[in-house]
Amino acid sequence: MNTVYQQKEQANSLRKLGNVEEALPIYKELWNSSKDKFDAAGYLHCLRKLKKYEDAFLLANECEKIFVDFKWCRDEIIWTYIGYLKQVKENEAITNTLSIAYKIMNLDPEDQQKNTTVLAVLKKAKQFKKWNIAVQWVDKINPDSLDKKTMIDEKGRPGWSYHLLWHQHKVRCLILQEKYHEAIQLVGDIISQANQQAKFFRSLEAHAYAKLGDTAKAIEILEELCRNKRVEWWIANQHATILKNAGEREKALEKMYLAATLSFKLESIVTMLYEIAILCKELNRMEESYYHLMLYKFIRENNKWAVKEDVEQLIIDTSTGLPNTKSINYKFVLTQCRAYWATGFNSLKDVIDVKRKNQLRKALKGDLIQVKEDKPFCFIKSQEESFFCYKSDIKGEPKEGIRVRFDVIPTFDKKKQKESWKAINIVLI
């Protein structure tokens, strides 16, 4: 039988070799018998490396009470809490993130540990729009200590650096504190480093100018962003908001329709759908208001989300004179809304710089292809081209090889990163 000393040597050797799975039971046995700080640190290290965060968190709490002055153990406690922090579910309350973050900060973490913790809090604050929390935490970081290396996502694509992420949070916090000139200055200081992330900073810059009352400058920035080949729906929506606040309601609606078309996920624009409905009602475009209210309602109910209390009354108010409103379904409503959104492409002359006409191409014919039950979209093959389309835009039951007549509108293929066409108003023939 091995002596305790031999067990310690074996566990430490395995851990240093990275074989934490074999080291774990040895450390566990040592800890249960000795309650030694070295065994505690080794045991905690193995648990967190194996992502056994429930057990690691309980052990870290116990060790914090008795071994917090032992640096190795304190570091393992901090990294355990950070690992646990990263495991917090996306929809979990921000209070849980904060309670763990405070535990970490009370342990006098080093820069890397502190930076990881604060950025996690800022991310959660942004998610739940708890801007007061973001303002309280953003300056707990020294930005000069943040890594400027671009992170690569799971698909191998370059993204943000921690340095840029912090600056984005800081600019937003300055705007929230009504320090608009400082926010604009900080954007100017960081924009040359931003590359693909520049649009996020320019968007915040436009927001700051709008808050200063310089609507013209804000619109100038957003129009410049909208001239890029790749336009995000939220940029078009921000443009719409500023136009609406400036009293340009018709232009604002056009931009909202463009934003709706650019979005790939209806759930992400559900709030905007309600805003479209209200704006249409103000413009006395009751039918458009009604169908957007119904789409808003269907999406929220399908996701088991609460629906605004005034929506039912607004639906009644806007449905007057419309036929067969009692029998409409989600697919029909979505088709109606997409037909309205197509008119937003009149503004694409300011969005996509292409040589062809940025207008509807009408009455084309082709055959449905790649029709799959588990996919909400398919394609139409004509003699010379193929076009993307949503099944919900097809009037009739979509089947492989069936002949259809359709119109197409210009769009942007995010996957292929190029301008493209999308079929709408599809009818079986």
Side-chain angles (χ1 to χ4, degrees), residues 286-288 290-291 315 318-326 340:
M286 295 301 182
E287 180 179 294
E288 292 170 60
Y290 169 77
Y291 284 116
I315 288 172
T318 55
S319 64
T320 304
L322 296 180
N324 303 321
T325 56
K326 292 183 179 180
Y340 300 134

Side-chain angles (χ1 to χ4, degrees), residues 1-14:
M1 181 180 293
N2 290 340
T3 64
V4 171
Y5 175 78
Q6 289 172 322
Q7 284 181 299
K8 287 177 179 285
E9 285 288 305
Q10 184 183 11
N12 287 332
S13 177
L14 288 168

Side-chain angles (χ1 to χ4, degrees), residues 381-421:
K381 177 67 176 176
S382 69
Q383 288 184 345
E384 298 179 353
E385 302 173 79
S386 64
F387 304 96
F388 173 89
C389 68
Y390 288 103
K391 289 180 181 177
S392 56
D393 283 334
I394 302 172
K395 296 178 181 178
E397 185 180 355
K399 293 182 180 179
E400 187 75 21
I402 200 165
R403 193 75 172 165
V404 293
R405 184 176 65 252
F406 58 99
D407 304 330
V408 294
I409 56 175
T411 186
F412 186 84
D413 188 327
K414 291 188 177 182
K415 184 176 181 181
K416 295 181 180 180
Q417 288 291 291
K418 66 178 184 178
E419 294 84 7
S420 184
W421 295 93

Side-chain angles (χ1 to χ4, degrees), residues 84-99:
Y84 193 85
L85 192 64
K86 291 180 178 179
Q87 299 297 306
V88 171
K89 294 179 181 178
E90 187 175 349
N91 61 352
E92 197 166 323
I94 192 171
T95 51
N96 296 331
T97 295
L98 283 174
S99 64

